[in-house]
Every structure is written in C-alpha cells, then in structure tokens.
Amino acid sequence: MLDLTLIPPDGVWVPSPTFFLPSPTEGTYPDPTQPARIQRAVDVETQVAHSIFLARSGVTGIVLLGSTGEAIHLTRSERSALVSAVRRGLQDAGFPDYPLMAGVLTNGLEEALEWLDDYARAGVQWGLVLAPGYFGASVGQEGLVKWYTAVADRSPLPILVYNYPGVTNGVTVLPETYRVLADHPKIVGCKMSHGNVSHHIQVALDPAIHHDKFRVFSGLSSQLGPVVLFGAAGVIDGLPAIFPKTVVRLMQLAEKANTKGLKDEERTELQRLQYAVSLAEEFVMRYGIIGIKEAVFRVVGFGNLEGGRLPIPGELPEGAWDKVKMLFLQAIELTEASL
C-alpha cells in the first residue's frame, strides 16, 4: 500500500530566501570571544517569522535552503540550526508537521547524504536534490540515473529531482530519465526550473510513470496554469514568497478547472491571475535572489536591502524597483490585498 506520508502534497511551495542580519554599523565590533565573521550572520528570528507568515497565507509548504535560500553560502551548522528553528517555530505557531523541504546543493555523493541526514534530524520531510552539474557536458543521463539512485538508496528522506540547468552548467534531466528515476520508491517527484513546458507535460502525462507517487513541480509560477492543466502538481517558486495568496488562488482555480470545471467568471479570474503572475515572474527571473529579497522586504516587510551573502550582496539598481512596481507589481499587489 502506498505510504502517502512520503509524497509531497500538490500545491504552491515557496523556496524561501535565507535572511541575514544587517552588516555591523561603523564603530561596532564583533564579540571578541568569537571567531571573526566574514559573512553576515543568519537572521533566524526573521526566517521563522517569514515561514509562519507563509503558512498563514495558505501555501502548501516551504522549501528551505534551495537556490533562492543560498544553501551553498551557509555552513553545515548554520543549515541545521536554521531548519531546526523553523520547524520549532512552525510547531509553536500551531502548524505541527507543516510540509518542509530542504535543498541539497552539492555534487559529492557522501556530502549529499550528510545534508540529508542533517535535514532528517532537523525535522524536514523531503530533500530537494540538485542535479550534479559541476562537470557539465561530461554528465550524461546514465550518470544522472546512477547518482540519484545511489543517493535515494541511502537517504533517510524521500527526495525530489531538482533540475535547474542555469546553475548546473546546462545539465538537463530528460523525460526518459525521469521515467527511470520515478520507479525508485524514494524518488517522489521533481522540480523543473527551466522554460521547457514540453518536458513538464511529457513527464506529468507519461503513462509509464506512477503519478500517484511521483509529483511534477514547475519552478516558475508563469507556467502554473498551463502545466497544472496537464497533470503537474504545482509550483516551487519564489514569487509566492512575496504574493502568496495570489499564487495560491491561481493554483486553486487551475485545479478546479481540471476536476469540476469553471464558471465563466472563474475562467476570467484564472486568466487574469495567470497574466498578472506571468508579468510579475519577469521580475523574479530578471533580478533573481536580490530581487526576491528586496521585494520581500518592500512588500511584506521581512529582511533588509543588503541582498545575499558574498558574492551577491547589494540591492536593485537605482530606480529599478519603482519601474517594475509601476509596470506590473502594483497590479498584483492590489490582487493580493483583495484576497
């Protein structure tokens, strides 16, 4: 019998940015009893507060320490402490067993298992494992199958295949490779962070894949309606970190269109929301982590304007926020408030 606790639920997942404390102001010095700090410290309190905000906004789950979460910029102890704190914070806020995923962004097989062991102890239910792409063109589909199989065989958590060619030297997991990996009992889904909607649809509709235990998520809310209408489970995307209710409502309408059908006014709403979300996604794609962090600060009030850790500190170019807000963010902000 299928163990449903192993399967990530359908819906809108948010890859949360990792929050950092502001840089020390001039004339202040770190604790002399502690080692000198090069990077800004993790702001665990804000991380927990933003996670509770997302849970209250109706998103299905949160992905900690993915690409948006800058997992590669944190130490092992920082990652463990952050995940543990978020789990405790959600529990204390009335969200026991809230769905949490965490990113595994390393090419080393043994190290990937270390990350997964740490996450399991910290209370995460799923690992989102990035395709190993350091050697890029040398990584073939057979190598991907063997690598993911070795990870899944030994992982304490069920895992999802995370395919983000933009950060893995162009490595792309092909539809026929997902077909093989989906047979593994502990490989329970995938996140496709690329614009190839055909791959989403091929995998989501592949009759050789057991879709009751393998979920397909897009990494882009701009694709939500189209991919959900053809069998995908939802999205894992940074936009709902800023506008969670809007993306959740879009997901609800797409699911209803698939099952019960929509009234004319609901179909109009679905199209309006998908248009607004697709426009807003351009902002996320253009400015990446720095843009997401600035928008989270300006729209929902979490974090600061110092960007990420080195080598991606800073804020948007001068005037960029006003320009994108005027073009499309303002419209979706009004939608968010109405929901």
Side-chain angles (χ1 to χ4, degrees):
M1 185 175 179
L2 179 67
D3 185 355
L4 294 178
T5 64
L6 295 177
I7 312 305
D10 294 6
V12 174
W13 290 72
V14 179
S16 178
T18 295
F19 297 93
F20 302 111
L21 293 171
S23 301
T25 57
E26 187 175 352
T28 63
Y29 299 92
D31 184 343
T33 65
Q34 300 296 318
R37 176 172 291 281
I38 301 171
Q39 299 272 40
R40 291 186 293 134
V42 177
D43 186 351
V44 175
E45 183 179 346
T46 298
Q47 196 77 48
V48 172
H50 185 246
S51 297
I52 294 170
F53 160 77
L54 292 174
R56 288 174 174 162
S57 298
V59 301
T60 298
I62 298 169
V63 180
L64 299 169
L65 298 169
S67 300
T68 300
E70 297 181 68
I72 58 169
H73 294 164
L74 274 68
T75 65
R76 182 179 183 181
S77 61
E78 286 175 326
R79 291 193 300 268
S80 293
L82 182 148
V83 172
S84 296
V86 169
R87 172 56 74 200
R88 287 194 304 271
L90 288 167
Q91 182 85 21
D92 292 345
F95 295 96
D97 301 318
Y98 186 80
L100 287 182
M101 218 178 271
V104 178
L105 277 57
T106 178
N107 285 211
L109 179 54
E110 287 79 7
E111 190 175 4
L113 292 168
E114 256 183 16
W115 288 43
L116 288 162
D117 286 339
D118 290 346
Y119 290 155
R121 284 193 291 272
V124 164
Q125 293 107 314
W126 298 275
L128 182 64
V129 182
L130 185 67
Y134 182 87
F135 286 104
S138 298
V139 179
Q141 299 301 302
E142 182 181 357
L144 290 172
V145 168
K146 290 181 177 178
W147 192 86
Y148 273 111
T149 300
V151 171
D153 283 346
R154 297 161 179 82
S155 172
L157 297 173
I159 67 170
L160 287 80
V161 176
Y162 179 19
N163 188 203
Y164 186 4
V167 298
T168 56
N169 288 312
V171 169
T172 301
V173 183
L174 297 178
E176 56 266 32
T177 301
Y178 287 113
R179 185 182 304 149
V180 176
L181 293 175
D183 267 345
H184 196 291
K186 286 168 70 177
I187 300 178
V188 295
C190 63
K191 175 188 178 183
M192 299 187 195
S193 289
H194 54 65
N196 193 330
V197 175
S198 176
H199 281 196
H200 289 74
I201 293 172
Q202 287 180 58
V203 179
L205 297 179
D206 189 339
I209 291 176
H210 299 291
H211 297 290
D212 56 350
K213 62 84 58 181
F214 188 86
R215 299 290 195 261
V216 177
F217 294 93
S218 174
L220 299 168
S221 294
S222 57
Q223 299 172 342
L224 190 157
V227 299
V228 168
L229 288 171
F230 288 96
V235 292
I236 302 173
D237 180 41
L239 185 64
I242 312 157
F243 301 112
K245 295 177 184 177
T246 301
V247 184
V248 167
R249 177 59 178 163
L250 174 59
M251 177 73 195
Q252 291 169 344
L253 289 169
E255 287 183 309
K256 187 175 181 183
N258 247 356
T259 54
K260 302 177 182 178
L262 298 177
K263 300 175 183 177
D264 288 345
E265 61 270 23
E266 290 175 321
R267 185 173 296 103
T268 299
E269 183 185 4
L270 171 66
Q271 293 171 347
R272 178 179 62 81
L273 288 178
Q274 185 63 77
Y275 177 70
V277 164
S278 295
L279 281 177
E281 191 75 55
E282 296 293 324
F283 169 77
V284 173
M285 294 173 67
R286 187 180 310 167
Y287 294 111
I289 292 172
I290 291 176
I292 292 171
K293 287 194 166 212
E294 182 150 341
V296 167
F297 174 74
R298 291 184 181 274
V299 177
V300 293
F302 295 96
N304 52 59
L305 293 177
E306 292 194 46
R309 278 185 167 176
L310 294 173
I312 53 169
E315 54 188 293
L316 297 180
E318 185 176 355
W321 177 257
D322 291 335
K323 182 178 180 181
V324 296
K325 184 175 175 63
M326 181 175 62
L327 287 174
F328 46 79
L329 288 181
Q330 190 171 33
I332 198 171
E333 197 169 14
L334 292 173
T335 299
E336 186 77 7
S338 72
L339 292 170

